[in-house]
Amino acid sequence: MSHYGLGTLKKEENMALAHTFDYQRPSTLIEALQLKAKYKDKAHFLAGGTDLIVNIREGMLKPDLLIDIKGISELLKLNWEKETLFIGSNVTFAQLIDNELVQKHFILLHDACKTIGSTGIRARATLTGNICSAVPSLDSAPALLCYEAKVHCASPESQREIPVTEWFLAPRKTALQEDEIVTGISLKRIPDSSGIYLKLGRYSGEDLAQAGWGILMTADKQYRLAHCALSPIPKRAYYIEDLLNNSNPLNADLIEKAIALIPSEINPITDIRATQEFRMYISGIMLKRGLTAIQERISGKYIEPRKLLGDV
Amino acid sequence: MKEISLILNNEPRNVQVENNEILLDVLRNKLGIKSPKCGCERGDCGACTVLLDGKAVRSCLILAVEAENHNIITLEGISREKLSALQEAFIEFNSFQCGYCAPGIILAVTELLEKNPHPSLEEIKESIAGNLCRCTGYTPIFDAIMSLTGRGAK
């Protein structure tokens, strides 16, 4: 009998994932890497599991081993040193949203974190997990691309840092090697800058992006832009950056010129969330409102990005 | 099969689980906790919400083995002696119809009110954006929560 007197159900009524696997929870990085080296692509690292468990349940992944990295304390680091924030791979979106350094120095990343999933997802899901899933619509990517983040990877033999611009290779494919683990992501502060992330979903709260644009601006009016859900992989918008950084001032005319460059920056598809034509069109609206709003943000005004797109 | 220990609703419990068993199923089928519900099994609907170390999480996306040595609170755990003020408010404002989403919503809002006792309507909406209710249109739910925030029913 169970504690609450409700009885124990028969075994056949007890559901589990259809696929079986081993489960290990190492307490050191080296143990995790040794397990990975032994099982290679048959082992997957488990942090938040908000994508991984769904993928196993739906039969997209059939791992022999799950290596739960949540017991590895060094991956929990969230450090500020030499103007650089290091975000360990166990750090969740909820932690980033509550972190003062992220709020103060990386507002574009802060915007993006707030748009991901829902509170219940953000309490488990990690930034590192997000970039390792590497779906085209990943909301954290425009921010990481604009801040020129570095992805820290370790293998049993070596360590390396991969610029995030070289991280995404194709949908769900990254530069991570079979024997490597991501230990964290680092972002250097860009002094006197502000940012904004505009995400358009079908409704606000818990939807994947139909389109996402991140804009970063410095006090001397230099811009960085990046997008997600508009190409096979998230990307910087270098043509638009060149235009904005070599012209001034930012006026309606220049914004129209930037909008005219959108077709050379993005390559959207039609899917269940939006058509190709809509994504192309709405990118212009997002760019216009984003570029206008960031002028106010850099002067210290509070702007809620969601409100810029109608908050439906 | 392996035995794991966890603190469930403030009581230490041991349970035999397989690696591929999901926390939600173990709570319902092996530990007799029926308040978390199975809705979408992919983290979208919030019916399976439990508090893990004080944070609202999706028990359908967590392996039972991951919960080892962690502290889990379900609806059963917040209403042992008497109903919480939030639950009373839900009754007063007639905030459910079918009730399937209610345990998840009450736990998500319990976490919110602990962190932020005077949330705005916007903050309330954000905290349960991942808890789908298909009956009420949410209005009586927001009214019940707002009645506890010191800002009055909206």
Side-chain angles (χ1 to χ4, degrees), chain A residues 70-90:
Chain A
K70 288 191 287 293
I72 304 174
S73 54
E74 64 179 288
L75 301 183
L76 266 169
K77 270 193 284 193
L78 186 51
N79 280 356
W80 177 248
E81 205 177 324
K82 294 180 191 151
E83 300 282 286
T84 301
L85 184 69
F86 180 83
I87 304 166
S89 48
N90 274 332

PDB file of all heavy atoms in Angstrom, chain A residues 70-90:
ATOM      1  N   LYS A  70      24.170  17.368 -14.037  1.00  0.00           N
ATOM      2  CA  LYS A  70      23.753  18.312 -12.991  1.00  0.00           C
ATOM      3  C   LYS A  70      24.517  18.146 -11.677  1.00  0.00           C
ATOM      4  O   LYS A  70      24.475  19.010 -10.815  1.00  0.00           O
ATOM      5  CB  LYS A  70      22.239  18.198 -12.752  1.00  0.00           C
ATOM      6  CG  LYS A  70      21.431  18.777 -13.912  1.00  0.00           C
ATOM      7  CD  LYS A  70      19.954  18.918 -13.593  1.00  0.00           C
ATOM      8  CE  LYS A  70      19.244  17.578 -13.565  1.00  0.00           C
ATOM      9  NZ  LYS A  70      19.163  16.919 -14.880  1.00  0.00           N
ATOM     10  N   GLY A  71      25.222  17.011 -11.525  1.00  0.00           N
ATOM     11  CA  GLY A  71      26.013  16.827 -10.316  1.00  0.00           C
ATOM     12  C   GLY A  71      27.422  17.401 -10.425  1.00  0.00           C
ATOM     13  O   GLY A  71      28.207  17.322  -9.473  1.00  0.00           O
ATOM     14  N   ILE A  72      27.764  17.963 -11.581  1.00  0.00           N
ATOM     15  CA  ILE A  72      29.123  18.479 -11.780  1.00  0.00           C
ATOM     16  C   ILE A  72      29.144  19.956 -11.398  1.00  0.00           C
ATOM     17  O   ILE A  72      28.644  20.810 -12.135  1.00  0.00           O
ATOM     18  CB  ILE A  72      29.575  18.283 -13.244  1.00  0.00           C
ATOM     19  CG1 ILE A  72      29.465  16.809 -13.624  1.00  0.00           C
ATOM     20  CG2 ILE A  72      30.994  18.815 -13.453  1.00  0.00           C
ATOM     21  CD1 ILE A  72      29.736  16.513 -15.085  1.00  0.00           C
ATOM     22  N   SER A  73      29.731  20.255 -10.233  1.00  0.00           N
ATOM     23  CA  SER A  73      29.564  21.607  -9.697  1.00  0.00           C
ATOM     24  C   SER A  73      30.250  22.666 -10.558  1.00  0.00           C
ATOM     25  O   SER A  73      29.767  23.791 -10.649  1.00  0.00           O
ATOM     26  CB  SER A  73      30.061  21.671  -8.260  1.00  0.00           C
ATOM     27  OG  SER A  73      31.376  21.197  -8.202  1.00  0.00           O
ATOM     28  N   GLU A  74      31.363  22.322 -11.207  1.00  0.00           N
ATOM     29  CA  GLU A  74      32.050  23.369 -11.981  1.00  0.00           C
ATOM     30  C   GLU A  74      31.211  23.845 -13.174  1.00  0.00           C
ATOM     31  O   GLU A  74      31.441  24.934 -13.698  1.00  0.00           O
ATOM     32  CB  GLU A  74      33.441  22.919 -12.432  1.00  0.00           C
ATOM     33  CG  GLU A  74      33.454  21.761 -13.392  1.00  0.00           C
ATOM     34  CD  GLU A  74      34.871  21.387 -13.814  1.00  0.00           C
ATOM     35  OE1 GLU A  74      35.495  22.135 -14.582  1.00  0.00           O
ATOM     36  OE2 GLU A  74      35.345  20.331 -13.355  1.00  0.00           O
ATOM     37  N   LEU A  75      30.228  23.049 -13.583  1.00  0.00           N
ATOM     38  CA  LEU A  75      29.372  23.473 -14.698  1.00  0.00           C
ATOM     39  C   LEU A  75      28.237  24.387 -14.236  1.00  0.00           C
ATOM     40  O   LEU A  75      27.456  24.876 -15.037  1.00  0.00           O
ATOM     41  CB  LEU A  75      28.799  22.255 -15.434  1.00  0.00           C
ATOM     42  CG  LEU A  75      29.828  21.284 -16.018  1.00  0.00           C
ATOM     43  CD1 LEU A  75      29.134  20.164 -16.776  1.00  0.00           C
ATOM     44  CD2 LEU A  75      30.812  22.014 -16.941  1.00  0.00           C
ATOM     45  N   LEU A  76      28.174  24.607 -12.922  1.00  0.00           N
ATOM     46  CA  LEU A  76      27.158  25.504 -12.363  1.00  0.00           C
ATOM     47  C   LEU A  76      27.635  26.942 -12.259  1.00  0.00           C
ATOM     48  O   LEU A  76      26.904  27.823 -11.832  1.00  0.00           O
ATOM     49  CB  LEU A  76      26.785  25.032 -10.955  1.00  0.00           C
ATOM     50  CG  LEU A  76      25.585  24.116 -10.851  1.00  0.00           C
ATOM     51  CD1 LEU A  76      25.497  23.530  -9.451  1.00  0.00           C
ATOM     52  CD2 LEU A  76      24.310  24.875 -11.191  1.00  0.00           C
ATOM     53  N   LYS A  77      28.900  27.168 -12.646  1.00  0.00           N
ATOM     54  CA  LYS A  77      29.502  28.489 -12.477  1.00  0.00           C
ATOM     55  C   LYS A  77      28.752  29.569 -13.240  1.00  0.00           C
ATOM     56  O   LYS A  77      28.336  29.374 -14.373  1.00  0.00           O
ATOM     57  CB  LYS A  77      30.952  28.468 -12.994  1.00  0.00           C
ATOM     58  CG  LYS A  77      31.966  28.094 -11.945  1.00  0.00           C
ATOM     59  CD  LYS A  77      33.384  28.397 -12.414  1.00  0.00           C
ATOM     60  CE  LYS A  77      33.872  27.372 -13.414  1.00  0.00           C
ATOM     61  NZ  LYS A  77      35.297  27.400 -13.691  1.00  0.00           N
ATOM     62  N   LEU A  78      28.619  30.722 -12.596  1.00  0.00           N
ATOM     63  CA  LEU A  78      28.095  31.907 -13.274  1.00  0.00           C
ATOM     64  C   LEU A  78      28.993  33.043 -12.769  1.00  0.00           C
ATOM     65  O   LEU A  78      28.719  33.660 -11.748  1.00  0.00           O
ATOM     66  CB  LEU A  78      26.619  32.107 -12.890  1.00  0.00           C
ATOM     67  CG  LEU A  78      25.823  33.199 -13.584  1.00  0.00           C
ATOM     68  CD1 LEU A  78      25.943  33.121 -15.098  1.00  0.00           C
ATOM     69  CD2 LEU A  78      24.357  33.123 -13.209  1.00  0.00           C
ATOM     70  N   ASN A  79      30.097  33.243 -13.493  1.00  0.00           N
ATOM     71  CA  ASN A  79      31.195  34.109 -13.006  1.00  0.00           C
ATOM     72  C   ASN A  79      31.347  35.390 -13.796  1.00  0.00           C
ATOM     73  O   ASN A  79      31.174  35.382 -15.013  1.00  0.00           O
ATOM     74  CB  ASN A  79      32.537  33.370 -13.170  1.00  0.00           C
ATOM     75  CG  ASN A  79      32.766  32.381 -12.077  1.00  0.00           C
ATOM     76  OD1 ASN A  79      31.970  32.290 -11.151  1.00  0.00           O
ATOM     77  ND2 ASN A  79      33.854  31.636 -12.179  1.00  0.00           N
ATOM     78  N   TRP A  80      31.770  36.424 -13.136  1.00  0.00           N
ATOM     79  CA  TRP A  80      32.060  37.712 -13.780  1.00  0.00           C
ATOM     80  C   TRP A  80      33.521  38.017 -13.530  1.00  0.00           C
ATOM     81  O   TRP A  80      33.930  38.170 -12.376  1.00  0.00           O
ATOM     82  CB  TRP A  80      31.157  38.770 -13.184  1.00  0.00           C
ATOM     83  CG  TRP A  80      31.350  40.171 -13.663  1.00  0.00           C
ATOM     84  CD1 TRP A  80      31.825  41.216 -12.926  1.00  0.00           C
ATOM     85  CD2 TRP A  80      31.046  40.696 -14.949  1.00  0.00           C
ATOM     86  NE1 TRP A  80      31.831  42.348 -13.678  1.00  0.00           N
ATOM     87  CE2 TRP A  80      31.370  42.071 -14.931  1.00  0.00           C
ATOM     88  CE3 TRP A  80      30.552  40.145 -16.138  1.00  0.00           C
ATOM     89  CZ2 TRP A  80      31.200  42.907 -16.048  1.00  0.00           C
ATOM     90  CZ3 TRP A  80      30.376  40.976 -17.241  1.00  0.00           C
ATOM     91  CH2 TRP A  80      30.692  42.336 -17.195  1.00  0.00           C
ATOM     92  N   GLU A  81      34.291  38.066 -14.585  1.00  0.00           N
ATOM     93  CA  GLU A  81      35.718  38.323 -14.435  1.00  0.00           C
ATOM     94  C   GLU A  81      36.224  39.035 -15.676  1.00  0.00           C
ATOM     95  O   GLU A  81      35.886  38.641 -16.806  1.00  0.00           O
ATOM     96  CB  GLU A  81      36.452  36.972 -14.302  1.00  0.00           C
ATOM     97  CG  GLU A  81      37.758  37.067 -13.572  1.00  0.00           C
ATOM     98  CD  GLU A  81      38.408  35.693 -13.409  1.00  0.00           C
ATOM     99  OE1 GLU A  81      37.657  34.715 -13.214  1.00  0.00           O
ATOM    100  OE2 GLU A  81      39.616  35.603 -13.511  1.00  0.00           O
ATOM    101  N   LYS A  82      37.012  40.070 -15.495  1.00  0.00           N
ATOM    102  CA  LYS A  82      37.581  40.841 -16.609  1.00  0.00           C
ATOM    103  C   LYS A  82      36.514  41.220 -17.631  1.00  0.00           C
ATOM    104  O   LYS A  82      36.683  40.985 -18.834  1.00  0.00           O
ATOM    105  CB  LYS A  82      38.707  40.051 -17.294  1.00  0.00           C
ATOM    106  CG  LYS A  82      39.912  39.830 -16.401  1.00  0.00           C
ATOM    107  CD  LYS A  82      40.975  39.049 -17.171  1.00  0.00           C
ATOM    108  CE  LYS A  82      42.061  38.576 -16.227  1.00  0.00           C
ATOM    109  NZ  LYS A  82      42.689  37.342 -16.685  1.00  0.00           N
ATOM    110  N   GLU A  83      35.428  41.779 -17.157  1.00  0.00           N
ATOM    111  CA  GLU A  83      34.360  42.259 -18.043  1.00  0.00           C
ATOM    112  C   GLU A  83      33.681  41.139 -18.828  1.00  0.00           C
ATOM    113  O   GLU A  83      33.013  41.390 -19.838  1.00  0.00           O
ATOM    114  CB  GLU A  83      34.907  43.301 -19.053  1.00  0.00           C
ATOM    115  CG  GLU A  83      35.498  44.538 -18.421  1.00  0.00           C
ATOM    116  CD  GLU A  83      34.416  45.504 -17.960  1.00  0.00           C
ATOM    117  OE1 GLU A  83      33.801  46.156 -18.810  1.00  0.00           O
ATOM    118  OE2 GLU A  83      34.188  45.581 -16.739  1.00  0.00           O
ATOM    119  N   THR A  84      33.935  39.887 -18.412  1.00  0.00           N
ATOM    120  CA  THR A  84      33.378  38.761 -19.154  1.00  0.00           C
ATOM    121  C   THR A  84      32.516  37.906 -18.237  1.00  0.00           C
ATOM    122  O   THR A  84      32.915  37.575 -17.120  1.00  0.00           O
ATOM    123  CB  THR A  84      34.527  37.905 -19.744  1.00  0.00           C
ATOM    124  OG1 THR A  84      35.311  38.738 -20.599  1.00  0.00           O
ATOM    125  CG2 THR A  84      33.984  36.731 -20.548  1.00  0.00           C
ATOM    126  N   LEU A  85      31.341  37.561 -18.726  1.00  0.00           N
ATOM    127  CA  LEU A  85      30.443  36.697 -17.967  1.00  0.00           C
ATOM    128  C   LEU A  85      30.600  35.269 -18.482  1.00  0.00           C
ATOM    129  O   LEU A  85      30.466  35.022 -19.680  1.00  0.00           O
ATOM    130  CB  LEU A  85      28.992  37.159 -18.149  1.00  0.00           C
ATOM    131  CG  LEU A  85      27.942  36.403 -17.338  1.00  0.00           C
ATOM    132  CD1 LEU A  85      28.085  36.705 -15.845  1.00  0.00           C
ATOM    133  CD2 LEU A  85      26.531  36.756 -17.811  1.00  0.00           C
ATOM    134  N   PHE A  86      30.919  34.357 -17.567  1.00  0.00           N
ATOM    135  CA  PHE A  86      30.988  32.945 -17.942  1.00  0.00           C
ATOM    136  C   PHE A  86      29.740  32.246 -17.418  1.00  0.00           C
ATOM    137  O   PHE A  86      29.439  32.297 -16.228  1.00  0.00           O
ATOM    138  CB  PHE A  86      32.247  32.283 -17.379  1.00  0.00           C
ATOM    139  CG  PHE A  86      32.339  30.828 -17.748  1.00  0.00           C
ATOM    140  CD1 PHE A  86      32.850  30.444 -18.981  1.00  0.00           C
ATOM    141  CD2 PHE A  86      31.870  29.842 -16.889  1.00  0.00           C
ATOM    142  CE1 PHE A  86      32.910  29.107 -19.349  1.00  0.00           C
ATOM    143  CE2 PHE A  86      31.923  28.492 -17.244  1.00  0.00           C
ATOM    144  CZ  PHE A  86      32.445  28.129 -18.472  1.00  0.00           C
ATOM    145  N   ILE A  87      29.023  31.611 -18.336  1.00  0.00           N
ATOM    146  CA  ILE A  87      27.762  30.946 -17.983  1.00  0.00           C
ATOM    147  C   ILE A  87      27.964  29.446 -18.128  1.00  0.00           C
ATOM    148  O   ILE A  87      28.042  28.916 -19.234  1.00  0.00           O
ATOM    149  CB  ILE A  87      26.625  31.422 -18.920  1.00  0.00           C
ATOM    150  CG1 ILE A  87      26.480  32.948 -18.870  1.00  0.00           C
ATOM    151  CG2 ILE A  87      25.318  30.722 -18.581  1.00  0.00           C
ATOM    152  CD1 ILE A  87      25.626  33.539 -19.979  1.00  0.00           C
ATOM    153  N   GLY A  88      28.124  28.753 -16.998  1.00  0.00           N
ATOM    154  CA  GLY A  88      28.349  27.313 -17.023  1.00  0.00           C
ATOM    155  C   GLY A  88      27.184  26.570 -17.662  1.00  0.00           C
ATOM    156  O   GLY A  88      26.061  27.075 -17.703  1.00  0.00           O
ATOM    157  N   SER A  89      27.456  25.365 -18.145  1.00  0.00           N
ATOM    158  CA  SER A  89      26.424  24.692 -18.943  1.00  0.00           C
ATOM    159  C   SER A  89      25.254  24.177 -18.110  1.00  0.00           C
ATOM    160  O   SER A  89      24.246  23.762 -18.660  1.00  0.00           O
ATOM    161  CB  SER A  89      27.029  23.577 -19.796  1.00  0.00           C
ATOM    162  OG  SER A  89      27.865  22.776 -19.023  1.00  0.00           O
ATOM    163  N   ASN A  90      25.362  24.199 -16.783  1.00  0.00           N
ATOM    164  CA  ASN A  90      24.206  23.825 -15.956  1.00  0.00           C
ATOM    165  C   ASN A  90      23.335  25.021 -15.569  1.00  0.00           C
ATOM    166  O   ASN A  90      22.358  24.862 -14.845  1.00  0.00           O
ATOM    167  CB  ASN A  90      24.667  23.141 -14.662  1.00  0.00           C
ATOM    168  CG  ASN A  90      24.883  21.653 -14.858  1.00  0.00           C
ATOM    169  OD1 ASN A  90      24.255  21.031 -15.709  1.00  0.00           O
ATOM    170  ND2 ASN A  90      25.779  21.071 -14.077  1.00  0.00           N
TER     171      ASN A  90
END
